[in-house]
Amino acid sequence: MMEGCKKRLCSWWKTSSLYTRVLGFMVPLMAVSAMVVLVGPNKSSNWLFAANYYSSSFKDFVPAAGDGGAGLELRRRVVGGGDRQEALSADYNLNRSAAPPLAVEVRVAEPPVEMKNEDIIIATNKSNIFPPLGEIQVLPSSPRISRRFSNLQILEAKLQRARAAIRDAKSGNEAYDPDYIPTGPIYWNPSAFHRSYLEMEKQFKVFVYEEGEQPIFHNGPCGSIYSMEGNFIYKLETSKFRTRDPENAHVYFLPFSVTSIVHFIYDKNSRDHWLPMKQTVKDYVNLIARKYPYWNRSLGTDHFMLSCHDWGPELSKSVAELYENSIRALCNANTSEGFKPSKDISIPEINLPGGRTNGLIGGPSPSRRSILVFFAGGLHGPIRPILLEHWENKDEDVQIHKYLPKGVSYSGMMRKSRFCICPSGYEVASPRMVEALYTGCVPVLIKDHYVPPFSDVLNWKSFSVEIPVEDIPNLKNILMGISPRQYIRMQRRGVLVRRHFEVNLPPKRYDVFHMTLHSIWLRRLNIRLHGVEDS
């Protein structure tokens, strides 16, 4: 039978045309290929691609388990057949301090934004060429989706990494710094502060609104007791921390000077002298809120103002969100007047008579200080009258004066004294604390409801004395109760901490300009902006 089939096939091949012979060869081959597709393994279905996909939502980063917070991990879970990235909150607390602890909290949320088509890239790797027979080609079973995160989401992710690094530093992992490494009891946690400071130097960016004209905006005094305003504005606007791109900023600075507002707008003869000054601040905030999306996005939470004038807290009430949400860097850090240490910043009041610190810094050793305690100042506020009533001209060791005798130097008296009284006046802010540190005199704080500068980092009890108002009559006994050894330790710590209060031109690392920025950095670490999600 096989011989007969072969003879007939050969006869057909010789007598048939070329077209007929090719057709006779292709039909069986196509039939075999069809059978392979129909009965083959399910893996061949990988050649088909589904067009539908699930959007991913990014809320936050969390430290990866087991890496000490040094890395980042995206927690994922399956939702409706697709992958959705889920955020887990993390706590941040630099350390205990005179101010309430800084804990991570979600204070505001911004409105959701719609995802644009260009925000998603779908790469299927699908080929239009049919795979040759006999070759195995493995293709993905679903599209590969790559999400382009917004600038804000990337910033928040980097901030989360910084929080993890600071928490890791609290465990004792010190970072290298050729310039200065914080140590000792003057810091609540020197390792955490050091890591936080280095993280600030590495990534912190501030956007300064350019709207507004001098002298009220982008200007301020660089001398007198309000010198912090002008010094900070000028230095920030020429600093490496400034960014011209608001999309890359962590915080946004409102560059108005309260001192300039008071000087140029205040009218003591007006029935409501607050109105024009507050209207100036309100108009400025409304201007930037209309022009830029950033104020409305966070309701002012990632914005800050700075003022060393006594009226700074009152003018911040011009806009409800500025008072309630924004970071306020204030010399007048009075908790009874609405100062909130968890979001606001206490900055030092520094008196620069000539705009420089020349001749203000330095003093003799403790063994060459013959006066126990010194103060000289007018009757401002409720505390100083009590101090003068009990101690003026009462004791040679307690040099308390309303006015200094003619020919006696104020700074010379501070350099001769072991302790220097720093009482409140009409407001809690006073340049005497920095004057004491500059001259090597141990500050004695007599204030109510006051948060000392940078007290979320600095342990003021290690280099100063705090005396309640009711203990003014026992002033000498309290100070005499401090042993010589303890006093020397406090005095030396004051000399070390002085670098954080020095005004330098140009600024130097860890000086008052950088410490102010670091306090703002800490508050920004303490908030997390949510709400930028897929629609």
Side-chain angles (χ1 to χ4, degrees), residues 5-79:
C5 289
K6 289 181 179 179
K7 291 179 178 180
R8 288 193 295 269
L9 180 60
C10 291
S11 177
W12 173 81
W13 183 265
K14 293 178 180 179
T15 60
S16 299
S17 64
L18 177 63
Y19 175 79
T20 304
R21 288 199 299 263
V22 172
L23 183 64
F25 175 77
M26 290 298 297
V27 169
L29 183 62
M30 293 175 65
V32 172
S33 300
M35 290 294 293
V36 171
V37 173
L38 291 175
V39 300
N42 291 335
K43 288 183 181 179
S44 62
S45 64
N46 288 338
W47 296 344
L48 306 178
F49 295 89
N52 59 337
Y53 59 89
Y54 293 89
S55 299
S56 63
S57 173
F58 179 86
K59 289 184 179 179
D60 224 320
F61 282 104
V62 294
D67 69 351
L72 297 176
E73 175 189 19
L74 286 175
R75 302 295 177 87
R76 306 176 66 88
R77 61 189 175 94
V78 178
V79 179

Side-chain angles (χ1 to χ4, degrees), residues 102 232 239 242 279 294-295 333 416 530:
L102 300 178
F232 184 84
S239 167
R242 181 182 185 180
Q279 191 63 46
Y294 310 106
W295 177 273
K416 294 178 182 179
H530 287 296

Side-chain angles (χ1 to χ4, degrees), residues 83-277:
D83 289 334
R84 182 176 180 86
Q85 297 167 356
E86 181 185 56
L88 300 180
S89 63
D91 294 330
Y92 168 69
N93 181 355
L94 181 60
N95 207 332
R96 63 185 181 87
S97 67
L102 300 178
V104 170
E105 55 179 339
V106 180
R107 292 220 307 265
V108 291
E110 51 184 310
V113 296
E114 293 186 2
M115 178 180 295
K116 299 179 181 179
N117 292 335
E118 59 266 22
D119 289 338
I120 292 183
I121 301 174
I122 303 178
T124 61
N125 295 329
K126 183 175 181 179
S127 174
N128 294 324
I129 302 176
F130 198 84
L133 288 176
E135 289 190 18
I136 299 177
Q137 183 173 358
V138 179
L139 297 175
S141 60
S142 62
R144 178 173 57 85
I145 300 176
S146 176
R147 167 71 188 276
R148 292 177 181 171
F149 297 117
S150 70
N151 285 347
L152 178 60
Q153 291 168 331
I154 295 172
L155 286 177
E156 289 294 333
K158 292 180 178 179
L159 289 176
Q160 181 65 6
R161 179 174 292 174
R163 296 183 188 104
I166 296 169
R167 282 194 297 270
D168 186 50
K170 289 175 64 177
S171 302
N173 296 329
E174 296 184 358
Y176 173 73
D177 190 335
D179 185 29
Y180 177 69
I181 297 180
T183 57
I186 62 177
Y187 305 102
W188 291 114
N189 190 314
S191 297
F193 165 57
H194 191 209
R195 169 54 66 183
S196 178
Y197 185 90
L198 295 179
E199 292 292 330
M200 176 196 74
E201 286 188 323
K202 182 168 61 177
Q203 62 174 298
F204 195 37
K205 293 299 177 184
V206 181
F207 180 76
V208 182
Y209 289 108
E210 296 184 352
E211 287 68 26
E213 297 180 358
Q214 294 187 12
I216 294 175
F217 303 94
H218 307 281
N219 199 357
C222 289
S224 79
I225 61 175
Y226 302 135
S227 62
M228 280 291 291
E229 287 191 14
N231 271 287
F232 184 84
I233 292 173
Y234 293 142
K235 291 173 182 176
L236 179 61
E237 292 191 339
T238 58
S239 167
K240 68 175 184 178
F241 294 97
R242 181 182 185 180
T243 176
R244 300 282 181 174
D245 185 358
E247 287 294 320
N248 292 330
H250 297 91
V251 294
Y252 303 83
F253 179 47
L254 305 170
F256 60 82
S257 166
V258 172
T259 302
S260 295
I261 291 176
V262 174
H263 180 75
F264 291 101
I265 299 178
Y266 169 64
D267 182 1
K268 64 180 180 181
N269 297 320
S270 173
R271 294 184 59 185
D272 186 359
H273 61 265
W274 290 110
L275 182 60
M277 294 188 293

Side-chain angles (χ1 to χ4, degrees), residues 459-528:
N459 177 13
W460 275 80
K461 292 182 179 180
S462 69
F463 56 88
S464 69
V465 180
E466 296 181 15
I467 295 181
V469 176
E470 57 269 21
D471 284 342
I472 288 178
N474 299 320
L475 174 65
K476 184 176 181 178
N477 292 334
I478 293 173
L479 298 180
M480 290 294 291
I482 298 175
S483 68
R485 184 176 180 180
Q486 184 180 0
Y487 158 71
I488 291 174
R489 284 199 299 261
M490 296 176 70
Q491 196 272 347
R492 289 176 177 173
R493 292 168 186 166
V495 173
L496 292 175
V497 83
R498 184 171 65 200
R499 70 181 301 148
H500 299 314
F501 296 89
E502 293 181 4
V503 178
N504 296 303
L505 296 173
K508 297 180 181 179
R509 300 180 70 209
Y510 298 98
D511 66 3
V512 68
F513 171 74
H514 288 90
M515 289 296 289
T516 301
L517 274 180
H518 180 259
S519 292
I520 298 168
W521 159 254
L522 281 184
R523 271 55 179 189
R524 182 59 180 89
L525 284 176
N526 197 36
I527 61 175
R528 185 179 293 120

Side-chain angles (χ1 to χ4, degrees), residues 313-314 317 323 328 330 332-341 344 382 424 426-428 447-451:
E314 184 64 27
K317 298 178 182 178
Y323 177 77
R328 301 179 304 158
L330 304 172
N332 192 13
N334 191 335
T335 57
S336 68
E337 296 178 357
F339 183 88
K340 300 177 181 178
D344 298 326
S424 294
Y426 288 122
E427 300 292 349
V428 293
K447 300 172 181 287
D448 285 331
H449 314 293
Y450 180 60
V451 178

Side-chain angles (χ1 to χ4, degrees), residues 217 254 256 261 274-290 295 315-322:
F217 303 94
L254 305 170
F256 60 82
I261 291 176
W274 290 110
L275 182 60
M277 294 188 293
K278 288 186 174 182
Q279 191 63 46
T280 300
V281 176
K282 185 176 181 179
D283 288 345
Y284 189 76
V285 173
N286 288 339
L287 171 65
I288 61 103
R290 287 193 302 266
W295 177 273
L315 290 190
S316 71
K317 298 178 182 178
S318 307
V319 180
E321 291 83 4
L322 179 62

Side-chain angles (χ1 to χ4, degrees), residues 381-396:
I383 295 178
R384 296 184 187 183
I386 300 174
L387 181 65
L388 290 166
E389 177 185 354
H390 282 88
W391 293 107
E392 186 176 22
N393 300 321
K394 300 288 180 64
D395 194 309
E396 286 294 325

